[in-house]
Amino acid sequence: MRVATTGGDKNGPVDGTTSLTGVGPGMVPLPLSAATHLFVRWLHVLAMAVALGGAILAWGVSRVADSETTLAVATTYEFAFWGALGALVMTGIGNLGALAPAIPRGRWGTALLAKLGLLVLVLVGSAVRSATVRAARDAPAPATRTIERGYALTAVAFATLVALAAVMAHG
Amino acid sequence: MADGDGTSAPAADGASPAPDPLLRWALASFHAATLLVVPLAILYAVDALGSLLQGVHTATGLGLYLALWGLTWWTNGRWLAATRLDGLRETIRPAATWGAVTGVGFLFVLLVAVAVALPDPVFVAVLALVGAPVSALVGAVAGVGFAALDLLIVAAGERLAGAA
């Protein structure tokens, strides 16, 4: 990450107070663009943690809990999941933009296309999973086993996406 | 969709029932993400992504996506309030209408971004005149396509849940 001074000297603002970029005395201030990139990457990782961790949690609950608890956890997760997925897509493009205009190709590009292809499958599959949870709330005997499998699949898909992201980040 | 009963219909007195919040949120997020991911993959495959992303500032990109997401959430709510999701014929007209609204609404957001970056009123006006019918048409077609897909998704969900 590029780190440069944006004002004052290398010890920060001359009055010793914290600047808008959170720089205190003795710290090297981050330019706003670097702070933005850091925030975008932090949000991307956080969203992935919510999506993957939530899927594992919902899967675990659906294995042991009664249908009422399973559906309550599932409904909560579905709201969180789609928020996290939107944030993942939004910040994923932000991460790509940081590489523009020379976005790599070759092995890196193959991993990116595989990731995007899997993401499209996750999008459609998750829409079906959300529709299943919604319908299950009104079903006389909700098929919680189907929901359990849905969360297991979601967790596996997201673990694969993380693996592809690791390939892209570290080769 | 009505609140969780899965059988919502447009109210007899003309008032729109509240759509199911989970369905609305899931479908809006699904549409917004798909509208971005699929073109992204195509642009990368034809090697046109780098030059496009280079011209968009990070904050602008985040703002545009949030605007698309919010707009899709709103229009999905209106669309779901106007349909019972029990057939393509009954669903297609509101889908086309609210898809067109989404297209024109997003064009308006783009025009605001362009106007801020390039303060040239004539250029923005020409862009609005040319872009409005195009964005309405593209939005209507996308709306119908998503409606057809959503019908399949909802039907699959009901079957999987044992509610069909």
Side-chain angles (χ1 to χ4, degrees):
Chain A
M1 183 193 305
R2 188 171 64 88
V3 178
T5 55
T6 55
D9 59 22
K10 68 178 181 178
N11 294 319
V14 288
D15 61 356
T17 58
T18 301
S19 74
L20 286 175
T21 50
V23 180
M27 296 170 68
V28 179
L30 286 172
L32 190 58
S33 61
T36 306
H37 290 159
L38 198 61
F39 172 71
V40 166
R41 288 183 181 188
W42 172 82
L43 192 58
H44 195 71
V45 172
L46 178 69
M48 178 53 87
V50 169
L52 176 56
I56 293 170
L57 176 69
W59 173 68
V61 168
S62 64
R63 280 175 58 83
V64 296
D66 57 81
S67 62
E68 192 180 344
T69 307
T70 296
L71 287 173
V73 171
T75 303
T76 304
Y77 173 67
E78 292 303 327
F79 279 103
F81 169 84
W82 286 106
L85 196 78
L88 274 170
V89 171
M90 180 171 67
T91 52
I93 292 172
N95 287 339
L96 274 178
L99 300 172
I103 298 178
R105 302 195 74 80
R107 186 165 179 255
W108 192 93
T110 306
L112 174 65
L113 283 176
K115 196 177 172 192
L116 292 175
L118 179 57
L119 183 56
V120 171
L121 291 178
V122 166
L123 282 169
V124 176
S126 297
V128 173
R129 192 198 60 230
S130 294
T132 305
V133 170
R134 172 186 157 271
R137 293 184 306 186
D138 305 319
T144 51
R145 178 59 66 87
T146 307
I147 293 171
E148 178 191 327
R149 287 178 185 152
Y151 288 127
L153 266 176
T154 305
V156 169
F158 269 94
T160 310
L161 286 171
V162 170
L164 286 167
V167 168
M168 290 167 66
H170 304 293
Chain B
M1 291 288 122
D3 289 318
D5 66 5
T7 58
S8 74
D13 60 0
S16 297
D20 176 21
L22 175 58
L23 192 66
R24 182 184 191 180
W25 176 237
L27 291 183
S29 306
F30 167 60
H31 295 173
T34 306
L35 281 170
L36 217 67
V37 172
V38 173
L40 190 80
I42 294 170
L43 284 171
Y44 181 76
V46 300
D47 206 10
L49 186 63
S51 52
L52 180 77
L53 288 180
Q54 188 190 16
V56 182
H57 190 270
T58 304
T60 309
L62 297 181
L64 287 176
Y65 187 75
L66 286 175
L68 176 66
W69 201 356
L71 192 59
T72 312
W73 179 80
W74 178 65
T75 52
N76 264 269
R78 302 307 299 260
W79 168 62
L80 288 170
T83 177
R84 288 179 294 187
L85 289 176
D86 60 3
L88 191 57
R89 184 172 293 185
E90 171 261 349
T91 309
I92 201 166
R93 178 176 264 185
T97 303
W98 289 106
V101 171
T102 309
V104 174
F106 191 63
L107 172 72
F108 177 74
V109 174
L110 282 176
L111 288 173
V112 170
V114 170
V116 170
L118 298 170
D120 182 351
V122 176
F123 177 68
V124 173
V126 170
L127 214 59
L129 277 174
V130 175
V134 175
S135 59
L137 183 64
V138 170
V141 170
V144 170
F146 273 123
L149 187 57
D150 292 346
L151 283 175
L152 292 174
I153 286 168
V154 169
E158 287 174 351
R159 182 174 286 267
L160 286 169

